[in-house]
Structures are given as C-alpha cells and as structure tokens.
Amino acid sequence: MVALLLFWVFWSFFNPIPTTTQTSNLSSFPQSQSQSRQEPNNPQFISPTANLRHDPINPTFYDDPNLSYSIEHKIKNWDQKRNRWLSLHPSFATGVQERIFLVTGSQPNACRNPIGDNFLLRFFKNKVDYCRIHGYDIFYNNALFHPKMSTFWAKLPLVRSAMIAHPEAEWIWWVDSDAAFTDMDFKLPLDRYRNHNLVVHGWAHLVYEKKSWVSLNAGIFLIRNCQWSMDFMDVWASMGPQTPDYDMWSKIQKATLPDKLFPQADDQSALVYLLLKEKNKWADKIYLESEFYFEGYWEEIVGVLDNTTAKYREIEKNVGKLRRRHAEKVSECYSELREAYLKEAGFGLGSWRRPFITHFTGCQPCSGNHNQLYSAEDCKNGMEKVLNFADNQVLRNYGLVRRDLLDSKSLSPLPLPFDSPA
C-alpha cells in the first residue's frame, strides 16, 4: 500500500491532469496582469471570481426570525451584521467598496400607451447593456414591495429590500424606468462620494435659498448600504401613503415648497423637506451632484446629440487606437484612453461630452399622460434618438451602427466599416 501510494504521488506530480481541454490549451498563454497573484493588493482590483457556491452554516442576520425585509420594520446594527456576512464570504469582501447593485422597475400592469411597453423594454435593455459593460448586477422589479406605496413611493421599500438581499454591494443605485445611460463609457466617481451616503442630482442654492420642489431629482439616486441609510430611509418613508400621517405631510410639503405643483406628498418633496428642516442631522452625508449629468433633463440634451456624435468622430479620425476593434469586455480600457481627449469638453450644460444619463421626466412613456409643456411626438422622438444614440455605442462592439438616430424600424443596422471613421 505504501509503494502504491508513493507511485501515485510521483505520478501525479509529473503528470498533472487538466480539468478540461480548454484549461490545458489556455495554460500556454502568458498570465495577464489581472490574473496575477499579487493583483489583489492593488486597490483597484475587483475579484471576478466570487464564490457563488459557498454559504457557511455559521449564523448570520438571515437566520434571525425577527428580521424583516419590510420598510415598516426598523433594522439595527446593520453595519455589524453586514460586516459579519462579508467576513464569512471572503470572496465577496474583495473589492466591496466599488461594488454597485443597480435597481429599476415599472408598474405590474401593461402600459396604457400603445408604445409604452416597447419603450420600457428598450430602456431596460439600455441599463442591462451599461451594467454588463461595467460588471454591475441589475434587478428589474415590477411588483409592489408595499401594497400602499405605489408610483413614486414604490422605489423606497424596493431599495430597502435590495440592501438586505445584497450585503455584498456597497452601493444601491436606483434608476427610474424612463432614464437612459447615454454615455456607456462614464463611471461614477465613487472616490468623490467616499464621505457621503446618498448622492442625488441637485443644487444647494435651490434647496436652501429657493426651497424649490425641483431643486433635486429623486428619480435617480445612489445610496450606501449602511446603517445611516437604513435610518434615513425610515424617516424618508415616514411621509409616505402607508402612514396615517400622509394627509398631514401632504399639507406640510405644499406649505414648505412654494413651487410644488400637486397636493399629495411625494418622495422628492420629502427629500427636500428633510434637507431643509433636518439639515444638521442628514445634510453632511448627502451629496448634491451638479458637476455632470448624473440625471439630465431630456429637453436640453436631445438637441445636442448630433454635435456630440460629430465631435467624437473627429477625435477618432485622429486617434487610431480609439478606432481599433476590441472585445466588449475590455471597453473600459478604451474609455480611459478616450478621456485624455475629452478634457476640454467639460461637463453638463454647454458641454459636447456625451451626457451620462438622460431622464425623460414628464414624458410618462407608459401611461402617455405627458406634461402639457411638450407634445407626445417630441417625447417619442426624443426617446428614439437618445436610445439609439446609446445603442450605437453598444452595437459598435458587434460591428454595427445606425446612421439615422430616429430610425428604429430598421431591423438591420448597417455594418461598421473597418477602421471607421478614418
């Protein structure tokens, strides 16, 4: 038996058996930097090999029968509970500070607007494309997580549940169904938010001086998965329709915000109210982002897309590396390369840089009850153009392009010539 054992050890040592043919063939390739054993020491390294089959029997908050996903039940010591879960799942702990979980959704029923469901599908595809390119997980929901919290309030119980369901994510990113990523390259500057727990598009002077209902937009926000956020969402949701004080809060919001258009209490007005009335408690951890289109108003964006396309083509004509075909998985490499040529473009209004997110506030693609300030045709054409503008950035990695941004009916985009646009 000893002789057989020794024979087996030496045989295994000199004749390692590959697990698959692919493994054997790939072993002849040099190891890339991202595969290096020393790479986890790099602060920008995010492990692509989280162990999805490892869940130890050690008890965590999931084993507490008193824990509830409902927004009506408070959670205490969330930071400690989440940290313990991460300590038991070390493969998820690597790169956790950069991990984002995107959440979006729509109502359970079919759209009343005949083209509404198609637009919602295309908006969702746009978000899936962005998340795939950057390695983010995404959850699309069409169920009410609280029976009384519908319309604009529906996102709060959903985001709260996502925090519990995804302790591996540092950030939960809510993006409205009628918002589209229009710069597939751009990534959130998370380092800028390292001392904050909530990021919304807004302007401090409109909040504190004008007390404006539109001083910020709550349709898109980034919230850290931590105890502060749990506590803040409890207070935020306390003005919602699930509480007996809803009518009272409706009157208070209308009296506090002079430009509020409708009488019912809403989540955006509630957020402005908390910044105004409980500034000392919450404001230090809330970042009002106004330096780029964290959430851009569609009317001021649609008209500049043609000029933006021309500017980017001009850059690529002069920079051969940016015209190079490449795998979609390494798109971020080319995004960083392009950034050197965009420094003069600036950000936000007046910039020819691709706007990060275009939000069709007021268009209501599902119901069709658009704001009367603009026509249904303007909304429809705007959504077509923005979605095609974004889709062209994706199709390029598959060798295709749409020449006309207002033509979605063509089932076959044109082949993209080699070395285009040289």
Side-chain angles (χ1 to χ4, degrees):
M1 288 179 65
V2 172
L4 286 172
L5 181 61
L6 288 171
F7 174 79
W8 179 82
V9 169
F10 280 100
W11 179 263
S12 300
F13 180 77
F14 287 107
N15 296 276
I17 301 174
T19 55
T20 66
T21 305
Q22 288 87 346
T23 303
S24 178
N25 291 338
L26 289 174
S27 65
S28 61
F29 285 83
Q31 190 177 41
S32 69
Q33 239 185 349
S34 63
Q35 295 171 315
S36 169
R37 294 291 183 184
Q38 298 178 355
E39 193 66 10
N41 295 324
N42 183 338
Q44 296 188 0
F45 174 79
I46 300 177
S47 172
T49 55
N51 191 341
L52 304 180
R53 298 184 178 184
H54 172 70
D55 195 19
I57 61 172
N58 308 61
T60 68
F61 61 87
Y62 288 118
D63 298 294
D64 181 0
N66 296 316
L67 180 132
S68 173
Y69 290 82
S70 172
I71 199 166
E72 293 186 301
H73 294 82
K74 296 182 183 298
I75 289 183
K76 297 298 183 184
N77 303 315
W78 176 243
D79 293 338
Q80 292 85 345
K81 292 172 180 175
R82 181 171 169 247
N83 285 336
R84 171 165 172 76
W85 188 93
L86 287 169
S87 70
L88 294 171
H89 299 79
S91 68
F92 288 101
T94 302
V96 66
Q97 297 300 321
E98 304 288 321
R99 193 170 292 122
I100 294 174
F101 183 68
L102 191 146
V103 182
T104 186
S106 59
Q107 73 296 316
N109 300 321
C111 292
R112 292 197 301 271
N113 185 7
I115 59 173
D117 289 310
N118 179 258
F119 270 125
L120 288 187
L121 176 63
R122 294 194 63 199
F123 275 112
F124 179 48
K125 174 199 178 301
N126 169 269
K127 296 175 180 69
V128 170
D129 285 337
Y130 181 84
C131 289
R132 183 185 65 254
I133 289 169
H134 296 288
Y136 301 152
D137 287 336
I138 183 172
F139 174 51
Y140 190 100
N141 173 63
N142 63 350
L144 287 178
F145 274 47
H146 191 291
K148 293 184 179 180
M149 298 182 78
S150 59
T151 62
F152 34 69
W153 286 104
K155 56 180 168 280
L156 297 191
L158 170 57
V159 168
R160 170 51 150 59
S161 294
M163 290 182 179
I164 300 172
H166 288 271
E168 82 286 354
E170 180 70 9
W171 296 97
I172 307 298
W173 192 2
W174 170 262
V175 182
D176 270 358
S177 61
D178 59 351
F181 289 95
T182 29
D183 188 349
M184 290 293 174
D185 291 342
F186 191 85
K187 294 185 70 175
L188 290 173
L190 294 181
D191 188 59
R192 184 186 300 180
Y193 313 136
R194 61 184 178 277
N195 296 322
H196 297 83
N197 296 329
L198 176 64
V199 183
V200 293
H201 197 208
W203 300 264
H205 71 283
L206 293 180
V207 173
Y208 299 111
E209 297 173 21
K210 302 294 184 180
K211 299 181 181 179
S212 174
W213 169 60
V214 291
S215 57
L216 53 81
N217 190 296
I220 297 168
F221 62 84
L222 186 71
I223 191 165
R224 193 183 296 274
N225 196 352
C226 66
Q227 184 64 50
W228 182 96
S229 300
M230 291 286 186
D231 296 339
F232 181 77
M233 293 194 74
D234 287 340
V235 178
W236 193 0
S238 68
M239 301 186 207
Q242 82 286 3
T243 70
D245 299 326
Y246 184 58
D247 290 338
M248 178 194 74
W249 281 116
S250 296
K251 295 175 183 177
I252 291 174
Q253 288 184 7
K254 194 74 171 68
T256 305
L257 309 175
D259 62 346
K260 182 172 166 59
L261 296 177
F262 51 91
Q264 295 85 5
D266 66 283
D267 63 314
Q268 183 166 300
S269 299
L271 185 51
V272 178
Y273 179 86
L274 290 173
L275 283 171
L276 284 170
K277 301 301 182 180
E278 298 185 17
K279 181 179 179 181
N280 292 336
K281 185 175 183 180
W282 306 111
D284 285 348
K285 293 295 183 181
I286 299 177
Y287 194 103
L288 295 176
E289 181 60 83
S290 60
E291 294 186 32
F292 65 92
Y293 279 122
F294 184 72
E295 174 274 337
Y297 181 46
W298 67 274
E299 268 208 313
E300 67 185 45
I301 287 175
V302 171
V304 304
L305 294 183
D306 291 333
N307 181 57
T308 296
T309 300
K311 289 284 189 179
Y312 275 67
R313 284 176 62 86
E314 184 179 341
I315 291 173
E316 291 172 2
K317 282 182 180 180
N318 298 316
V319 184
K321 290 182 179 179
L322 290 175
R323 302 193 301 269
R324 184 188 179 201
R325 292 176 177 173
H326 57 268
E328 188 178 61
K329 280 292 186 184
V330 294
S331 293
E332 287 190 7
C333 168
Y334 293 84
S335 304
E336 293 176 3
L337 177 62
R338 183 179 290 107
E339 191 60 33
Y341 301 91
L342 296 174
K343 290 181 179 179
E344 297 179 0
F347 293 90
L349 186 63
S351 167
W352 51 264
R353 180 190 290 266
R354 290 170 182 159
F356 181 37
I357 295 178
T358 304
H359 193 186
F360 283 87
T361 306
C363 273
Q364 300 293 327
C366 190
S367 68
N369 297 327
H370 58 85
N371 191 312
Q372 295 304 308
L373 291 175
Y374 26 79
S375 68
E377 192 68 15
D378 286 342
C379 283
K380 176 181 177 296
N381 289 340
M383 289 186 285
E384 289 274 9
K385 192 166 188 177
V386 162
L387 288 166
N388 287 335
F389 177 84
D391 202 33
N392 264 353
Q393 298 167 50
V394 177
L395 290 175
R396 178 174 182 164
N397 289 323
Y398 296 84
L400 298 170
V401 66
R402 283 192 178 94
R403 298 296 184 190
D404 185 354
L405 295 182
L406 284 175
D407 179 20
S408 291
K409 295 179 181 179
S410 174
L411 297 179
S412 300
L414 297 173
L416 185 68
F418 181 77
D419 204 33
S420 177

